[in-house]
Amino acid sequence: MATVKTLIYLIIYPGLLFLFLYSTFVEWYDRKLYARLQNRMGPTHTGRFGLLQPIADFFKLMAKEDIVPERADKKMFSALPAFGLAIVFTAMMLLPLWNYSLDKPSVTSFSGDLIVVLYLLSLPTFIFFLAGWSSTNLFSTIGGARVLTMLFGYEVPLFLAVLSPAVLANSWRLAEIAAFYRQRPALALVNLLGFLIALICVQAKLERTPFDIPHAETEIVGGTFTEYSGKKLAIFRLMMDAEMVVVAGLLATVFLGGFPGGPLLGLLNFIVKTLFVIFFLSLIRATTSRIRVDQVVSFAWKYLAPLAIVQLLIVILVKGLLS
Amino acid sequence: MKFQIPIGPQHPALKEPISLRMTVEGEVIRDADIRLGYNHRGLEKLAEQKTWIQNIYLTERICGICSHSHTTCYVQGVEKLMELEPPKRGLYIRTLVAELERIHSHLLWLGVAAHEAGFDSLFMYVWRDREIVMDILEIITGNRVHYGINTIGGVRRDLDAQQVQRILDSLAILRQRSEYYKHLGTNEPSFVARLAGVGYLSREDAIALCAVGPTLRASGVPMDVRKDDPYAVYDEVPFEVCTADTCDVLGRTVVRIKELFQCYNIIEFLLKNLPAGPVAVRAPRRAKPNEVVSRYEAPRGENIHYIKSNGTDKPERLKVRAPTLGNYAATIQMLKNGFIADVPLIFAAIDPCICCAERAVSLVDARTGQEKIISLNSLKSLSLKLSAGNERKREAEWPL
C-alpha cells in the first residue's frame, strides 16, 4: 500500500503529471490575467478560453528544430534544461500536500525541509547562469552575468523573510509551520511584512517584470536563452512555469497555513492559495516597468534586507511576548 | 575587459535596420558608433524623374509616421517656387492634419518608450488610445497612415460641420486619457527610475551637435520652427514651445506629453476659427527655374527639403534632411558612459525614423577598409563577375 501511495505521489499527484498540467494552467492564468490588466484578450483560441494554449506552445516547441551552437559547451548546453526541470520537480515533492504525517517525519517531510526547498530553488538560478555562460553568445553571457548579479540582491531578503515565520513556529519543517499557523491564524498576520518582501523577492527569482533583466528583450535579445531553441527551450519554459508553482506553493505553506484536508480538499486548498499568490505576482508584473540591474541590487539592500530584518525582530518580540 | 556589442542591424529593440556598435566595459558603454545605409531607397533620384504632382505621393512615402510632414514640407517649397498663395481654409486643414499627426506620433513614441523600458501595460494602453486619433485622421482624409490630403495650392478634401463635431468629441476623450498618461509617465516609480538621469545631453552639447525637435527642447533650448519661422497658419495660432531642463530621457518624455496638450489646444482653436472659402487653388504644371529651402517642424524635429526647379514639370533636385539625421551626432554623445540597459531607451528617445534618414550608401572594401562611390550598373556587373563561377545553391525542399 505504501509503495502504491509513493508511486502515485511521484507520478500522478503532486508529481510529474499534476505538476506538468498545473504549470501549464498557471501559465495560462498568468497570461490571461496579464492580458486583461493590459486591456487585451490574452489566449482565446486553443481550447476553451484558450486553456490549452500553453500545452500547444509546449508541443510546438518540442517539434521545432533544435540547434546547438558550434562553439558552445555541447554536453553542458544540452544537459542543463533536464537538470533544471529535475531540480524544480524535486522541490515540488517536498511541499506538504498529502502523504505525510505530522508526528512521523518521512522522506517527503522532515525537519529542515524548508532549507532544502530554498536550496533547491536557488539552483535554477545557477542553471540559468550556466546556460547563458555555456552558450558563448555575447548576449547570453551578459544575461548570465545579470542573473548572478541579481541573485546577490534578492537571495538574502528572501531567506530572511521566509525563515521568520519558521522562527515564530519554532520549526524548520514545512508541515509543522503550516499546522502552527492553522491553529493560530491571528499569528499569521505578524508575518504580513515578510509576505510582501517574499512576494517581491520571488518576482525577482522568477525573473519577471520589473526584474526580467536577464532576458530583457529590448536590451539583450533573448538574454540567457538567446541560443536555446526547440526541445531545450520548451523544457526551460516548462521549468520556469513549474518553478512559479513551487514558489507560490512554498509561500502558501509558510505564510498562508498550507493545504489541510487530505488529497482532495488539500488539492482545492493548494489551487486556491497558489492562484492567490500568483495573482499578486501578475499584478506586480503588469504595473511596473523593468529596472536596471544596479537598481535591483541597491533596492534589495537599501529596502528589502532592512525590512526583512525588521520582520525578524518583530517575530522575536512576539515570540517573547507569547512565552 | 573591453568588448564590442553589436546592436543591430537586426535587434528586437530596433524597428528598422541600423547598426549601433558599443564598446563596453562590464555594463558601461565607453564608446559608440552608428552605421547607416541598410535601408537606402533612392528616393531623391526617383523624385527627379517624376512630375511635381507625382512627387507629393512619393514624398509621402518617405516616412510611415510623419508622412504629412514630408508632403507639407515639399508642397510648401513647390508653392513658393510656383508663387502660389493657398487659401486660408486649405492652410487651416493642412495645419489641423499636421497637429493630429503630431498627436499620433507622440502617442506612438510614448508606447514605444514604455515598451523599451519593459513597461508593457502603458504601451498597450497608449496604443489603444492612439486608435482614437487614427480614426479622426481617417474621418478627415479617408486614410490612416498616408493621408494624401496635400496638393500643390491647398488640400484635397474639405471638412463639414458634422466632422468638426466628431473630432471635438474624440479630442475630449484623448485629453482626459493624456492627463492619466502624464500622471503615470511622471509618477510611476519604476518607470521614472529608468528614465531620470539617463542619456544626459547638456544644453551646450545639444546646440553644438545640432540636435533638433524634442531632443533639443528637453535640453532647455526653446527652438521650434513653428515659432521661429512660422509656416502655414502658425503665426495666427496661440501656442507655447514646450521645454524641459532635465536634459535626460525623462525630460524628453515630459516635453512630448506637454506638446500633446498644446496640440489639443491648437486643434480646438483651428476648428473653432475655421474660415469659409475654397480649400485649394489651381496650380500650374511647370515652375520657373529657381531654388528653395522649406522648413517644417515634424513631430521628431526640424524637417528640411531643398528643391531646385529648371522650368520643366519635374524638379531638378530634391534634397531631404529628415529630423532623425540631425539627432544622430547627439545620440552618440548621449550613449557614452551610459549602461547597456539604457541603450534602447536612449536611442528610442530621439524617436528614430531610420529609413527616413537614409540618404546614401557607401561601399566599403571589407579587406582594405577603403570607401568608394560606384554607379549602379558597375555594381551589378561587379556582382555578376564575382558570382560567375559559383554553383547555384540547392533550394530548400518541402519535406512532405
Side-chain angles (χ1 to χ4, degrees), chain A residues 47-121:
Chain A
R48 196 144 184 96
F49 311 117
L51 267 167
L52 297 179
Q53 189 63 52
I55 298 180
D57 287 352
F58 181 77
F59 283 111
K60 184 206 76 175
L61 269 180
M62 287 302 257
K64 290 270 173 194
E65 189 185 0
D66 196 352
I67 300 163
V68 180
E70 197 69 25
R71 287 170 68 188
D73 183 343
K74 290 194 183 58
K75 275 182 200 149
M76 183 116 103
F77 188 84
S78 312
L80 283 171
F83 266 111
L85 197 68
I87 287 165
V88 172
F89 274 61
T90 313
M92 181 71 182
M93 297 292 141
L94 296 176
L95 293 184
L97 281 159
W98 63 285
N99 197 19
Y100 70 92
S101 84
L102 266 181
D103 324 314
K104 202 168 62 199
S106 62
V107 187
T108 58
S109 177
F110 48 88
S111 187
D113 56 0
L114 173 63
I115 307 292
V116 177
V117 171
L118 281 174
Y119 167 72
L120 286 177
L121 287 175

Side-chain angles (χ1 to χ4, degrees), chain A residues 156-166 181 187-202 251 254-256 304-315:
Chain A
V156 171
L158 177 67
F159 273 43
L160 286 175
V162 172
L163 293 187
S164 52
Y181 288 104
L187 280 183
L189 291 175
V190 175
N191 302 320
L192 197 63
L193 182 64
F195 182 56
L196 293 177
I197 296 165
L199 269 181
I200 296 172
C201 294
V202 154
L251 292 198
V254 173
F255 292 99
L256 305 175
L304 290 181
L307 281 176
I309 290 170
V310 167
Q311 166 69 43
L312 205 58
L313 287 177
I314 292 172
V315 162

Side-chain angles (χ1 to χ4, degrees), chain A residues 34 37-40 138-139 142 146 209 217-221 285-295, chain B residues 4-6 11-13 27 115-121 124-125 128 188 190-191 193-194 339 341-342 344:
Chain A
Y34 184 55
L37 286 167
Q38 291 182 342
N39 205 36
R40 289 187 293 120
L138 208 52
F139 295 118
I142 295 173
R146 286 178 175 193
T209 330
E217 178 205 62
T218 51
E219 293 159 22
I220 47 172
V221 196
R285 183 174 165 218
T287 50
T288 49
S289 98
R290 186 191 309 126
I291 54 179
R292 268 199 315 266
V293 71
D294 58 313
Q295 288 169 337
Chain B
Q4 264 208 340
I5 296 188
H11 190 276
E27 287 255 338
H115 175 64
E116 305 284 11
F119 195 6
D120 278 356
S121 299
M124 296 292 169
Y125 273 77
R128 178 194 67 188
E188 158 62 32
S190 61
F191 192 52
R194 268 319 285 283
F339 292 100
D342 294 330

Side-chain angles (χ1 to χ4, degrees), chain B residues 220-241:
Chain B
V221 186
M223 204 179 265
D224 190 322
V225 181
R226 295 179 291 172
K227 219 37 162 201
D228 305 337
D229 182 13
Y231 53 90
V233 291
Y234 282 110
D235 43 353
E236 299 170 17
V237 184
F239 74 98
E240 282 168 30
V241 177

Side-chain angles (χ1 to χ4, degrees), chain A residues 206-237:
Chain A
L206 295 173
E207 297 175 5
R208 291 147 59 83
T209 330
F211 306 107
D212 56 345
I213 305 159
H215 47 86
E217 178 205 62
T218 51
E219 293 159 22
I220 47 172
V221 196
T224 32
F225 305 126
T226 309
E227 292 293 349
Y228 277 91
S229 57
K231 290 183 208 69
K232 300 189 184 86
L233 185 62
I235 290 173
F236 261 139
R237 285 179 47 128

